[in-house]
Amino acid sequence: MNSLWNGYGNVTDRQELKSMANEKADHFLSCASTAHDGRQIRKCATHLRVYPDAAYGTFTDTWYCKHRHCPICQWRKALKWRSRTHQLLDSTPEALSGKWVSLTLTTRNCHVSDLNETITEMNEAFRRLRNRAFWKANVIGGIKFLEVDQGISDYQSAHPHFHCLIQVRPSMHQGNNYVTEERWAAEWQDCLKAHFIPQVRARRLTGRGDEIRNKILKCVSYPMKPRLHAPHRGWFLSMAEQLKDTNLVQPFGQMRGWFSDLKHQEDCELQQHRNIIRLEQIPTTFQWNSSQGSYKKD
């Protein structure tokens, strides 16, 4: 499925996010039972206050709807997880110097109306995977992201899959402890209790310093990327209903503890710096013009 992923740091880029958000809002507004979702997303980031900041880069104040299917808020959530991971790598030297694997776990496509049941089965399979001896011997911790795509050949089908960023012990890639991609697939198949071999991808992240850091941050951002266009309306509404109360991001193992320590921390220096900017600078303001589909300067 096509996707956009760049900084969305300026007004022109944010127009694309806002247009994407309005497409999804229209889907929700087409149904009386979800109209409130559509109205909520429609109100997201309609008025921007843009402040210049030579030290940390231009920043924007606005009201965000925080709806899980809003592309603008998806983008913000991805930035939040990137920022928290960045802080973790800065504050936890053993994290940056550790060994990392990008792991993708899939199952067969299901009908979109069976999505919740399929995800429940996948979560149970993942729990069984974490209880396996080879996992306990090798995996220190990680983050599991749930992503759902629309089926390509059957537009009533859904393709749920997990993107996992895991930190492993160095011994996992040595001698008898080496875990191949085929081994990962066999273990996942067994945990799924499936009669087919699921597609699994296990890729080592290599490099040092900024190189490995950027690869880790990319693995965190990718599963939450905003979509270029909203899927078919009927499929989208069914998918949104099926994903209610579903946990899309789940840290586990040692990383869960690390993130817990960071959860309530804020970058006080940055906040104080921006508060000074707000007092000293007059922002450039933009209002969303729905008829033209763009932000216009006030």
Side-chain angles (χ1 to χ4, degrees):
M1 184 178 292
N2 291 331
S3 64
L4 277 177
W5 181 257
N6 52 39
Y8 290 110
N10 57 51
V11 172
T12 302
D13 291 332
R14 290 190 182 219
Q15 286 180 174
E16 296 195 58
L17 280 174
K18 183 62 176 173
S19 296
M20 292 153 61
N22 285 340
E23 281 190 56
K24 291 191 174 182
D26 288 343
H27 283 356
F28 282 123
L29 287 167
S30 69
C31 181
S33 62
T34 59
H36 63 286
D37 296 270
R39 290 191 291 269
Q40 181 180 345
I41 295 175
R42 275 280 184 186
K43 294 177 183 177
C44 189
T46 55
H47 189 79
L48 308 180
R49 297 185 303 280
V50 181
Y51 292 88
D53 183 357
Y56 291 95
T58 299
F59 67 93
T60 302
D61 286 341
T62 189
W63 180 83
Y64 295 103
C65 69
K66 299 181 181 179
H67 195 286
R68 74 186 314 170
H69 294 294
C70 171
I72 299 170
C73 295
Q74 278 182 293
W75 163 71
R76 290 190 71 238
K77 187 175 182 180
L79 289 185
K80 171 188 169 184
W81 277 99
R82 279 179 64 94
S83 176
R84 290 177 67 189
T85 304
H86 218 304
Q87 292 179 52
L88 186 151
L89 296 174
D90 284 341
S91 62
T92 314
E94 61 266 36
L96 188 59
S97 62
K99 303 298 182 182
W100 296 87
V101 172
S102 171
L103 178 67
T104 303
L105 303 171
T106 73
T107 188
R108 278 183 174 169
N109 289 7
C110 63
H111 193 277
V112 66
S113 61
D114 296 325
L115 185 57
N116 186 272
E117 180 181 351
T118 301
I119 292 171
T120 299
E121 292 173 354
M122 291 177 69
N123 282 327
E124 282 298 308
F126 192 77
R127 180 187 60 80
R128 289 190 284 269
L129 186 66
R130 289 183 60 199
N131 284 329
R132 298 239 154 170
F134 93 101
W135 178 285
K136 291 182 177 180
N138 292 298
V139 179
I140 298 171
I143 320 174
K144 174 171 68 70
F145 300 91
L146 170 64
E147 186 176 24
V148 178
D149 292 334
Q150 187 175 19
I152 297 175
S153 58
D154 179 2
Y155 292 117
Q156 290 301 311
S157 69
H159 176 55
H161 50 288
F162 293 146
H163 291 287
C164 305
L165 171 68
I166 57 176
Q167 186 180 15
V168 301
R169 303 185 193 282
S171 58
M172 180 177 172
H173 298 297
Q174 299 171 359
N176 294 331
N177 291 324
Y178 183 73
V179 180
T180 64
E181 193 168 79
E182 290 75 16
R183 170 80 182 278
W184 277 112
E187 296 281 357
W188 178 238
Q189 177 186 7
D190 200 29
C191 290
L192 275 176
K193 300 180 179 179
H195 299 295
F196 59 91
I197 300 176
Q199 290 187 346
V200 170
R201 185 182 182 194
R203 178 171 56 89
R204 293 174 62 180
L205 303 184
T206 59
R208 293 183 179 181
D210 287 344
E211 183 181 6
I212 188 66
R213 179 191 293 268
N214 290 335
K215 288 181 179 180
I216 291 170
L217 294 176
K218 184 176 180 180
C219 286
V220 171
S221 302
Y222 179 80
M224 293 182 285
K225 59 188 178 294
R227 302 299 185 182
L228 180 58
H229 295 293
H232 181 271
R233 178 169 296 175
W235 185 92
F236 175 79
L237 292 176
S238 183
M239 179 273 296
E241 177 65 26
Q242 291 287 311
L243 286 186
K244 279 185 177 179
D245 303 319
T246 300
N247 194 351
L248 302 180
V249 185
Q250 181 184 10
F252 54 85
Q254 187 165 280
M255 285 191 71
R256 181 177 181 180
W258 287 341
F259 277 122
S260 180
D261 293 339
L262 291 171
K263 186 174 182 180
H264 301 294
Q265 294 181 14
E266 290 187 359
D267 190 340
C268 295
E269 181 182 343
L270 177 60
Q271 290 301 322
Q272 291 172 3
H273 173 79
R274 285 186 171 176
N275 285 336
I276 293 172
I277 294 290
R278 291 182 181 102
L279 291 172
E280 295 180 348
Q281 299 284 351
I282 298 176
T284 304
T285 59
F286 297 85
Q287 186 76 27
W288 178 254
N289 187 311
S290 56
S291 62
Q292 297 184 21
S294 62
Y295 284 107
K296 297 298 180 184
K297 188 180 295 188
D298 286 345

